[in-house]
Each structure stands twice: as structure tokens, then as C-alpha cells.
């Protein structure tokens, strides 16, 4: 047994560990994606793919920090594998490279290859944002089709002391520029990661980290909790920071010397409603309004709502789409002024209607228009199509189209869904959603918002 590298065994009551096995040359490892039967079994599953092994960084909470250096599979082999997976109809491929963009030219070549050979597959990469060259960002803005790529960017913390203690080098100013440039392109879905419970990141520091990152309003913001993985530097230094954590997988922390167990539970309340009300994307405009114009900060909104959510016992039961709106409306009734609630209600009506592909017959609010008033208003809209702008007028809807395929509502406040930096106006608005027949999954109805004209207001009474 002594001759077998990498073997750990017991001998005469003692644990023996042989020298590590030498690293294999990656080109010698056979590809797992050459058998047609195996690939066929993956069509309805996420495929995890690696183009490299190792990580150039030393983040002390990550197992990848144990192995130094980065090795790459031959580029032509990688392209051949990916072509087979794409041609086989795989829907999602997630690259597990710890820093996909480490080698600039390698990453550019693969981005170009995936663009040239795209079908219906979506590709997700782990990207280190502060070292992503602007050259690559500009290339993707120019060449990448919308929705083809997803970037997962680990921010983890914006606390400089915390990042130093976990040996994480991060230029936040450069990272911010990258995130904003990618967001501006409108083509790439961004998933940003945070870790609560890192050393010297107390509750108030984490609140700042959360707000620093939420200001980007990423497509998804994942809030995770530190896990004391075996073999990592954090696990070895756990006593230094008084960590208390699970003694079994996933080894998640309960507390440390600056973050109490109660504070960890409070942050978990934030995580719960963050997932439902931001990451699921069903109330995006409402949350933008609340976090920009009503609550002191995004963290304050999610924390206060998360606490209320748990106090009502909602964390123990499921929820349907309508429940999300009813429960938020109930929470706002206990915390906000009447003008803020009316504006939020207007955004919630907009977001609710945006989630349907056919005209909903049931809504969560009490309608202000009876059938006769709606009919009169529909007549006025048919006679004045330019009121909603040239895009609506170009639809050339018939009176029957308006009757059968639209929802018309009076909004308590005039809102600006496409300009979230603008506050809601304390005047009624006119909302129309057009649901063209045959909307497919992923498509949305056409919304139109305008001030409520005096003529139309008379028709509604």
C-alpha cells in the first residue's frame, strides 16, 4: 500500500497518508461526451462542463484554493465536445471553470465558437468581474445574441478587511464598471453572489455589502451563507473567529464572534423574500419602486418584509402567484403611508398583468371599472389610439380586439415602469395591457401606461 500514491489507510492503529498522486495531463483524460446514448440521456438535464482545472486565487472559504495553478484541456477537444452537446439539443451547459475569463484569448475563442454554433443552448460561466477585459465586454455587446450567455459573478463581500482575511483580492471599482457595462448591453443575464458570515463581516457590514451590490439590480442576487468546508483555510482557522457551524455537510455556520445566531436568522429572512420577490422576477418593477423610493435601503425593505413574512407563518406554507401580491400588499399596509401604498399598488397591478400570456379573468385587486364603464372607456381608446403613443396606434386594434384581448384599469397613481428612477405621480393613470393571440412561453403582453385624460375620467364615473 505504501507504493500507491494518494492512498490514505490505517496501519497498526495509525492513519497513514501516502504522497499525493501526480497531476494527470488533461489531454490524456478521455471525454465523457463521446457516447451518443449518454448524451441522449442528458437532453433534459443541466450539463456541467470544464475547460480547465484549478484556480489562480486563494479564497480561504473555497476548496479550489487548495490546488495551485490552472491547467487547460486542449481547445479543439473542448470545441468538439461542445459541438456534440449543442447538436444533441442540450438546453443548458454550465461551465465549472472557477475563472472562465482567466485566459483572455482562450475565453474569446470559446465565446466566438459558441456564438457561431448556437442553437437553443444557453451557456453559464463563472466570471471574475474585476479582471474581465473591456475588450471582451465590448465584443459580447457587439456580437452575442440576447440570452445566449449567463454570467455568475462572485462578489461575496465589499468589506476590505473581510476580503483581506480570506485572501480575496477584489477591485470593487473595476468590478462595478464591468457589471454595469454588461448590464448596459442588455444581452447577458447576470447572477451575482454574496456570502454572509465571512470573518469580521458583522450584521451592519453585511447590510452595506448587500446594498452595495443590490444597487446594480442584477437579474439574480444569490445570498448564501459561509460553509466551513473540510480542508479550507477557513475551516482550519475557525477557532480564531469563534465560528459555530454544522458538524456535518453542508457545514454551514450558525454564528461567529461578530455575527450572532439571531442575526444569521434575520439575514435568512432576507434571503427568503429576496428569492421570491426579486430573483423569481415576478414583481421586478414593484421592488424597484420600493427599494428606490420608499424604504431607506434595499436591505431595509427585504429585512422588514422578511421579518413580517415569518411572523405571519408564510415561510411554512406554499404560495401561488396571486399570494405574492396579496401578502406584499398586506405588509405595505402596516408600514407605508397611503400615498406610497397607492403607488406600490399601481406597480403591483402592472407586474401582475405582465406575468400572463392570455388575459387573466381573475385579479387580486378589486376592480374600479364596472362592465359599462369599461365598455365606454374601450370606445374612447378605439377612437383615440394615439393617446397611448405611436406603437399602440400602429397595432390598429379593432373595437373587438380591445374588448377581447386587453385589460384596462385605472391606476391610483401614475407610474413609470420603464424609468424606475422617476417617482410615481400623485394623479391617476390609465393602464392597458394587450394580449395578442398566440403568445408563447417567454413572451410577454404589451403594456401601455399614460395619464388619465379628463374625457376618459368622465367616462369611468
Amino acid at each position: 500500500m505504501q507504493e500507491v500514491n494518494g492512498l490514505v489507510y490505517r496501519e497498526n492503529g495509525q492513519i497513514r497518508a501516502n504522497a499525493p498522486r501526480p497531476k494527470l495531463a488533461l489531454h490524456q483524460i478521455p471525454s465523457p461526451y463521446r457516447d451518443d446514448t449518454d448524451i441522449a440521456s442528458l437532453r433534459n438535464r443541466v450539463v456541467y462542463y470544464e475547460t480547465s482545472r484549478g484556480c489562480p486565487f486563494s479564497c480561504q472559504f473555497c476548496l479550489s484554493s487548495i490546488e495551485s495553478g490552472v491547467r487547460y484541456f486542449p481547445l479543439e477537444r473542448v470545441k468538439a465536445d461542445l459541438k456534440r452537446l449543442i447538436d444533441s439539443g442540450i438546453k443548458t451547459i454550465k461551465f465549472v471553470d472557477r475563472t472562465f475569463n482567466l485566459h483572455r484569448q482562450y475565453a474569446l475563442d470559446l465565446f466566438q465558437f459558441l456564438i457561431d454554433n448556437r442553437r437553443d443552448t444557453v451557456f453559464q460561466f463563472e466570471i471574475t468581474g474585476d479582471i474581465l477585459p473591456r475588450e471582451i465586454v465590448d465584443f459580447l455587446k457587439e456580437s452575442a445574441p440576447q440570452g445566449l450567455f449567463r454570467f455568475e459573478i462572485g462578489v461575496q463581500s465589499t468589506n476590505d478587511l473581510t476580503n483581506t482575511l480570506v485572501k480575496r483580492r477584489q477591485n470593487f471599482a473595476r468590478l462595478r464598471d464591468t457589471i454595469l457595462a454588461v448590464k448596459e448591453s442588455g444581452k447577458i443575464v447576470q447572477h451575482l453572489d454574496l456570502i454572509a458570515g465571512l470573518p469580521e463581516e458583522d450584521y451592519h457590514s453585511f447590510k452595506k455589502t448587500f446594498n452595495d451590490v443590490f444597487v446594480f439590480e442584477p437579474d439574480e442576487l444569490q445570498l448564501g451563507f459561509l460553509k466551513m468546508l473540510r480542508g479550507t483555510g477557513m475551516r482550519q482557522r475557525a477557532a480564531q473567529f469563534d465560528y459555530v457551524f454544522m458538524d456535518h455537510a453542508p457545514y454551514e455556520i450558525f454564528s461567529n464572534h461578530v455575527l450572532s445566531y439571531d442575526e444569521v436568522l434575520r439575514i435568512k429572512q432576507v434571503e427568503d423574500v429576496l428569492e421570491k420577490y426579486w430573483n423569481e422576477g415576478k414583481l421586478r418593477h414593484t421592488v424597484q419602486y420600493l427599494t428606490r423610493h420608499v424604504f431607506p435601503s434595499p436591505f431595509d425593505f427585504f429585512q422588514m418584509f422578511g421579518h413580517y413574512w415569518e411572523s405571519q407563518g408564510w415561510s411554512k406554507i406554499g404560495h401561488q402567484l396571486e399570494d405574492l401580491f396579496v401578502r406584499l400588499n398586506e405588509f405595505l399596509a402596516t408600514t407605508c403611508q397611503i400615498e406610497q401604498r397607492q403607488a406600490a399598488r399601481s406597480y403591483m397591478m402592472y407586474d401582475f398583468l405582465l406575468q400572463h400570456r392570455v388575459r387573466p379573468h381573475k385579479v387580486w385587486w378589486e376592480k374600479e371599472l364596472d362592465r359599462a364603464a369599461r365598455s365606454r372607456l374601450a370606445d374612447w381608446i378605439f377612437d383615440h389610439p394615439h393617446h397611448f403613443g405611436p406603437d399602440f396606434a400602429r397595432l390598429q386594434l379593432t373595437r373587438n380586439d380591445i374588448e377581447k384581448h386587453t385589460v384596462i384599469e385605472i391606476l391610483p397613481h401614475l407610474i413609470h415602469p420603464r424609468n424606475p428612477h422617476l417617482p410615481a405621480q400623485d394623479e391617476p393613470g390609465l393602464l392597458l395591457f394587450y394580449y395578442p393571440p398566440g403568445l408563447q412561453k417567454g413572451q410577454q403582453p404589451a403594456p401601455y401606461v399614460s395619464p388619465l385624460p379628463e374625457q376618459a375620467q368622465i367616462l369611468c364615473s
Side-chain angles (χ1 to χ4, degrees):
M1 289 190 291
Q2 296 177 355
E3 294 79 22
V4 182
N5 287 337
L7 185 66
V8 178
Y9 59 97
R10 189 184 299 275
E11 183 180 56
N12 298 327
Q14 300 294 317
I15 296 177
R16 309 292 185 188
N18 294 345
R21 180 178 179 178
K23 294 178 181 178
L24 291 172
L26 295 188
H27 71 274
Q28 296 178 344
I29 301 175
S31 170
Y33 303 112
R34 295 297 171 89
D35 185 274
D36 290 338
T37 302
D38 289 342
I39 290 181
S41 69
L42 299 173
R43 284 198 183 117
N44 297 316
R45 300 164 62 184
V46 174
V47 170
Y48 293 87
Y49 191 86
E50 59 179 358
T51 70
S52 64
R53 291 185 180 179
C55 182
F57 304 112
S58 303
C59 304
Q60 296 296 285
F61 50 80
C62 180
L63 282 172
S64 297
S65 64
I66 299 173
E67 179 182 353
S68 61
V70 180
R71 299 170 293 151
Y72 287 86
F73 285 91
L75 186 57
E76 292 310 312
R77 166 202 161 129
V78 169
K79 290 180 177 179
D81 282 349
L82 292 173
K83 187 69 164 60
R84 287 178 61 83
L85 292 170
I86 294 168
D87 291 345
S88 298
I90 302 300
K91 296 301 182 184
T92 303
I93 296 177
K94 290 188 177 182
F95 290 81
V96 296
D97 307 72
R98 306 314 296 170
T99 304
F100 182 81
N101 57 298
L102 178 64
H103 192 307
R104 183 189 63 84
Q105 193 57 50
Y106 194 95
L108 266 176
D109 285 348
L110 277 179
F111 282 140
Q112 184 68 69
F113 176 81
L114 297 175
I115 291 170
D116 292 342
N117 292 275
R118 67 185 182 274
R119 289 193 178 183
D120 297 323
T121 309
V122 173
F123 305 94
Q124 180 167 323
F125 311 88
E126 292 191 28
I127 298 293
T128 301
D130 57 352
I131 66 168
L132 184 66
R134 188 56 187 254
E135 172 192 359
I136 292 183
V137 176
D138 291 341
F139 165 76
L140 294 173
K141 289 171 66 174
E142 179 70 26
S143 305
Q146 185 172 6
L148 181 67
F149 297 144
R150 294 172 54 94
F151 283 1
E152 180 177 346
I153 300 177
V155 182
Q156 319 312 6
S157 173
T158 62
N159 184 311
D160 290 337
L161 174 58
T162 294
N163 284 327
T164 298
L165 289 171
V166 298
K167 298 184 180 181
R168 182 174 178 81
R169 294 173 292 174
Q170 180 168 270
N171 185 326
F172 187 68
R174 192 174 297 168
L175 174 62
R176 178 188 62 235
D177 291 344
T178 297
I179 292 172
L180 292 176
V182 172
K183 182 182 180 71
E184 182 186 359
S185 76
K187 292 183 173 183
I188 298 171
V189 174
Q190 288 194 95
H191 171 115
L192 305 184
D193 290 336
L194 299 179
I195 297 179
L198 292 171
E200 302 304 332
E201 180 102 280
D202 62 15
Y203 179 82
H204 297 288
S205 171
F206 183 76
K207 174 180 177 178
K208 179 181 182 301
T209 284
F210 185 98
N211 288 330
D212 286 343
V213 177
F214 192 85
V215 72
F216 303 131
E217 295 182 345
D219 299 285
E220 297 173 3
L221 178 59
Q222 179 175 315
L223 197 174
F225 293 80
L226 178 62
K227 296 174 175 59
M228 308 296 282
L229 303 177
R230 292 180 180 273
T232 62
M234 284 310 308
R235 177 70 174 247
Q236 295 169 8
R237 299 167 61 197
Q240 177 182 345
F241 303 102
D242 295 333
Y243 275 106
V244 179
F245 56 94
M246 298 177 181
D247 58 4
H248 53 79
Y251 308 110
E252 190 170 288
I253 69 156
F254 295 124
S255 64
N256 63 28
H257 73 134
V258 297
L259 191 68
S260 70
Y261 179 62
D262 287 341
E263 288 170 333
V264 170
L265 293 182
R266 290 177 67 190
I267 296 174
K268 283 187 175 290
Q269 294 172 351
V270 172
E271 178 198 22
D272 190 18
V273 292
L274 175 70
E275 191 65 31
K276 294 179 176 67
Y277 282 84
W278 184 258
N279 290 341
E280 291 184 6
K282 296 181 175 64
L283 289 98
R284 189 60 52 96
H285 302 90
T286 304
V287 175
Q288 284 180 322
Y289 165 70
L290 293 171
T291 55
R292 285 171 177 247
H293 301 291
V294 178
F295 288 82
S297 76
F299 187 88
D300 287 299
F301 163 68
F302 288 108
Q303 183 67 93
M304 293 175 65
F305 188 23
H307 175 74
Y308 185 84
W309 184 281
E310 184 165 313
S311 72
Q312 300 302 303
W314 295 335
S315 59
K316 300 177 182 177
I317 58 178
H319 63 273
Q320 303 296 322
L321 176 66
E322 183 177 336
D323 298 326
L324 293 174
F325 293 85
V326 171
R327 292 170 184 175
L328 176 58
N329 194 53
E330 181 179 322
F331 163 68
L332 296 177
T334 69
T335 56
C336 296
Q337 300 174 0
I338 181 64
E339 295 84 1
Q340 296 169 332
R341 297 206 312 267
Q342 293 282 45
R345 185 171 183 267
S346 299
Y347 275 107
M348 290 164 68
M349 292 165 66
Y350 182 95
D351 278 333
F352 181 83
L353 294 173
L354 198 62
Q355 303 310 310
H356 297 79
R357 285 185 284 144
V358 296
R359 188 177 72 170
H361 296 291
K362 179 184 177 184
V363 296
W364 59 270
W365 62 89
E366 185 176 345
K367 294 185 177 182
E368 294 188 18
L369 298 173
D370 60 24
R371 181 169 295 183
R374 184 188 186 281
S375 181
R376 293 192 298 270
L377 193 53
D379 288 337
W380 184 87
I381 292 171
F382 176 70
D383 291 333
H384 302 82
H386 287 279
H387 175 74
F388 282 116
D391 288 343
F392 180 78
R394 276 192 290 269
L395 294 175
Q396 296 185 324
L397 298 184
T398 66
R399 178 61 180 80
N400 190 54
D401 290 332
I402 297 174
E403 182 67 34
K404 288 188 174 183
H405 302 299
T406 71
V407 171
I408 304 171
E409 290 288 347
I410 306 301
L411 297 175
H413 278 47
L414 179 60
I415 59 175
H416 308 280
R418 296 182 181 179
N419 296 286
H421 62 283
L422 296 177
Q425 296 173 237
D426 187 11
E427 61 176 282
L430 180 59
L431 174 67
L432 182 145
F433 265 76
Y434 171 53
Y435 297 86
L439 277 181
Q440 301 300 308
K441 184 176 181 180
Q443 295 180 318
Q444 291 183 321
Y448 301 92
V449 180
S450 75
L452 180 62
E454 184 176 349
Q455 293 172 288
Q457 196 165 358
I458 294 172
L459 295 173
C460 298
S461 58

